Amino acid sequence: MDTVLSGIRPTGHLHLGNYFGAVRSFVKMQNEYNCYFFIADWHSLTTHPTPKNIQNSTRTILAEYLACGLDPEKATIYIQSDVVETIELYLYLNMNTYLGELGRVTTFKEKARQQPDNVNAGLFTYPTLMAADILQHRAKWVPVGKDQEQNMEMARKCARRFNNIYKTDLFPEPQNYYFGAEALKVPGLDGSGKMGKSDGNCIYLCDEEKVVRKKVMRAVTDNGPQSPNSEKPEVIANLFKMMSIVSSADTLQYFEEKWNDCTLRYGDMKKQLAEDMVNVLNPIRERILEFSSDPARLDKIAAAGAMKARESASATLKEVRRTIGFRVY
Ligand code: ADP
Ligand code: TRP
């Protein structure tokens, strides 16, 4: 059975972009594959070197993962920093990764621009740590959004290069996995292209119903369709995109027709969108409250996950040490 791995950094609450771009795939895949889903707390140090209460931020994501339907009976759910084996593989991979290729990664260049006083080596080697996360379980599939494509390319390069240098076929080349036919980008409702924490345009899985409705009603729009069957400007296309994600096909078609014959009222469309969103989010939010209220249970789940993840990582690491020529204990 193929192995799957993915993770998210604990830098806030999960939002609809994370859910539809990544976590929804985790929930589906856990029934069909050997899955590892983790919380990338080491990675969050690349941008937040002194995180306030990192363990609570991690528990927050864990509770939200579980609320979305991740099941510790089906998948191995763990915290990155509990699996120290990852660091050894990270070191080996760094030895065969070059400054030039790491410097070309756009997320590195972006972050370096955003935090010019803290262009640290961890940020620079973010992709090799990510590759170590993936390769330590010899994962074949990685469900992530399109924005992770370049990091995934680096992970494939790490696998390929290791196999070539040491004349082995230890690592499969990990591939992106998308829920649908192609990568989904959940738009922001403020007219920006993408929903994301740093853009402050998120609808969070834990948002109260009235907050969700308010955020949707505030979505940026324009003066309305001016001529039949016209092309939609980006802000309106985003609204339709969001509807295609959370609403039924019939609902979407109804509003498409209204757009095409110029009778669309954005207020009506937003009300319907908010309603459909609330229906997706309400059960998830209820479960978040339930899981968050029991930190001891969360810690137990994390501890069990760590044991399983360490077992898999150390088996790979043994092979890696043997392959490079180190002593194997
Ligand atoms: P953020 O953009 O809020 O910082 P992350 O970068 O931590 O989110 O992303 C975690 C996961 O969620 C990644 O797999 C990423 O591709 C996915 N993701 C984040 N935002 C979106 C979005 N708007 N649409 C689709 N996928 C997304
Ligand atoms: N870089 C990913 C993000 O920002 C998080 C991550 C770290 C990850 N290691 C990973 C995702 C390994 C998939 C596989 O969302």
Side-chain angles (χ1 to χ4, degrees):
M1 194 195 298
D2 285 351
T3 297
V4 172
L5 171 130
S6 193
I8 296 185
R9 287 165 296 135
T11 51
H13 290 282
L14 294 184
H15 52 74
L16 280 177
N18 301 138
Y19 179 71
F20 286 108
V23 183
R24 180 175 57 154
S25 305
F26 304 179
V27 176
K28 177 170 141 189
M29 295 182 98
Q30 67 183 352
N31 296 313
E32 299 156 29
Y33 297 91
N34 175 32
C35 289
Y36 294 85
F37 298 120
F38 76 107
I39 299 167
D41 54 352
W42 277 330
H43 272 113
S44 67
L45 292 181
T46 61
T47 50
H48 298 72
T50 53
K52 275 201 207 83
N53 208 341
I54 182 79
Q55 292 191 46
N56 264 346
S57 316
T58 301
R59 281 191 199 102
T60 298
I61 301 294
L62 181 55
E64 293 179 350
Y65 268 175
L66 297 167
C68 289
L70 282 197
D71 181 349
E73 299 288 322
K74 296 180 180 165
T76 300
I77 305 169
Y78 70 98
I79 297 163
Q80 189 181 34
S81 63
D82 283 340
V83 181
V84 289
E85 286 77 6
T86 318
I87 309 176
E88 189 175 336
L89 183 55
Y90 169 57
L91 179 135
Y92 299 139
L93 297 179
N94 273 331
M95 298 300 169
N96 299 322
T97 306
Y98 306 112
L99 298 194
E101 56 199 3
L102 288 171
R104 281 193 293 277
V105 174
T106 37
T107 36
F108 169 70
K109 290 194 275 191
E110 248 168 56
K111 295 280 185 226
R113 221 176 300 123
Q114 286 162 8
Q115 51 184 62
D117 299 329
N118 183 21
V119 186
N120 61 75
L123 189 63
F124 193 63
T125 56
Y126 187 115
T128 49
L129 180 54
M130 181 157 159
D133 291 327
I134 299 168
L135 300 183
Q136 67 185 339
H137 302 301
R138 290 179 254 188
K140 182 148 179 223
W141 297 107
V142 182
V144 279
K146 195 167 176 54
D147 55 331
Q148 296 298 311
E149 182 58 59
Q150 229 182 346
N151 286 335
M152 286 301 300
E153 194 46 60
M154 286 298 295
R156 281 191 283 277
K157 226 182 243 182
C158 284
R160 238 178 354 246
R161 201 169 283 157
F162 187 96
N163 289 348
N164 281 339
I165 292 178
Y166 301 106
K167 310 257 174 303
T168 169
D169 55 3
L170 184 58
F171 295 126
E173 283 184 32
Q175 306 297 325
N176 290 49
Y177 173 93
Y178 300 128
F179 189 87
E182 52 189 51
L184 175 76
K185 189 173 77 178
V186 178
L189 290 181
D190 56 352
S192 76
K194 178 188 160 223
M195 183 177 287
K197 277 181 285 273
S198 46
D199 302 313
N201 60 2
C202 293
I203 293 175
Y204 292 100
L205 302 186
C206 61
D207 276 345
E208 296 274 351
E209 191 172 323
K210 60 177 187 300
V211 174
V212 175
R213 290 189 197 276
K214 210 171 177 181
K215 285 181 177 173
V216 175
M217 294 317 285
R218 274 207 312 251
V220 177
T221 48
D222 62 4
N223 298 331
Q226 304 298 318
S227 57
N229 303 312
S230 55
E231 203 179 310
K232 300 181 190 93
E234 195 187 355
V235 280
I236 306 306
N238 283 351
L239 205 58
F240 274 91
K241 177 84 200 170
M242 192 55 107
M243 189 167 247
S244 76
I245 296 168
V246 298
S247 305
S248 71
D250 287 352
T251 304
L252 180 67
Q253 195 188 342
Y254 173 84
F255 287 101
E256 287 282 4
E257 280 164 15
K258 294 248 159 211
W259 167 268
N260 283 334
D261 65 17
C262 298
T263 54
L264 178 62
R265 285 174 25 193
Y266 292 132
D268 295 344
M269 182 174 175
K270 287 179 182 177
K271 242 186 230 150
Q272 181 65 48
L273 180 59
E275 189 60 32
D276 293 338
M277 221 177 251
V278 160
N279 282 334
V280 172
L281 290 175
N282 269 351
I284 297 181
R285 192 186 57 252
E286 272 166 32
R287 286 196 299 266
I288 293 178
L289 293 175
E290 196 183 307
F291 282 112
S292 323
S293 68
D294 195 349
R297 180 177 174 200
L298 294 173
D299 291 352
K300 224 163 122 184
I301 291 172
M307 249 173 61
K308 287 200 268 175
R310 292 191 70 179
E311 210 173 287
S312 150
S314 33
T316 303
L317 208 50
K318 250 189 195 159
E319 293 300 314
V320 169
R321 289 182 67 102
R322 200 192 322 272
T323 304
I324 301 178
F326 289 109
R327 199 189 340 259
V328 176
Y329 297 98

